[in-house]
Structures are given as C-alpha cells and as structure tokens.
Amino acid sequence: MCLGSLRSKGFRVLFRGVYVDAAVPDSTDLIVRAALKLHPANSFVSHHTAAEVLGLPVPASADVHVSVLAKGDRTQRCGIECHVAPQGA
C-alpha cells in the first residue's frame, strides 16, 4: 500500500505516522494501541490513560500518557504525553 492511498478518504490519521481505516470507530483501546506503536515494545500507558483503561473515574485528558524506560525512547507527537519511568522504584 502506498502513502497516497493512506491519504485517501478510506483512512484517517490517529497520530503522525499512524493511520486507521476510516470506518473503525474511536475507542480508548484504539488510541492506546496507536500511541504505543510509536514507542518501544517495553513502553506502557501511564497516568490518566492507565486509569482510564482500568475503568477508573478520571478527568478527561486530551493526551494519551505513555511511559518509556529510557529518555532516548521518547517520541514527540501531538496528542501524546511521553514520560520516562523511574528505574528501580
């Protein structure tokens, strides 16, 4: 599949570099998976996002919170708040 077809009406951008079929409805799970695709496999959702995934009552947050283990693994994207997890805590 070429980039041109990803820019058609059949797909939409979740984050820069992450596309989904336009027919797929928004969900917390979809957004979390999309954000994690941009980070190493050992990354995880954290903060408000982790609480939301667990079904806890949290204030609405516009950003997905992702934590990584090393500062160099952080990815800057609009809509993603990336944190570095403390080691040995």
Side-chain angles (χ1 to χ4, degrees):
M1 180 179 300
C2 68
L3 185 58
S5 60
L6 288 176
R7 291 186 178 158
S8 71
K9 291 184 180 191
F11 295 92
R12 60 190 171 96
V13 178
L14 295 175
F15 299 106
R16 183 172 44 91
V18 182
Y19 296 80
V20 68
D21 187 295
V24 174
D26 279 336
S27 70
T28 300
D29 184 59
L30 175 68
I31 299 301
V32 163
R33 289 174 182 264
L36 289 174
K37 288 283 185 195
L38 297 166
H39 296 86
N42 60 359
S43 302
F44 53 94
V45 293
S46 59
H47 298 75
H48 282 80
T49 307
E52 184 178 350
V53 167
L54 292 172
L56 300 173
V58 292
S61 176
D63 292 339
V64 176
H65 291 261
V66 174
S67 288
V68 296
L69 301 181
K71 193 174 188 175
D73 290 337
R74 295 171 65 181
T75 299
Q76 299 295 323
R77 292 286 196 286
C78 183
I80 299 175
E81 184 70 32
C82 192
H83 310 274
V84 179
Q87 297 296 307

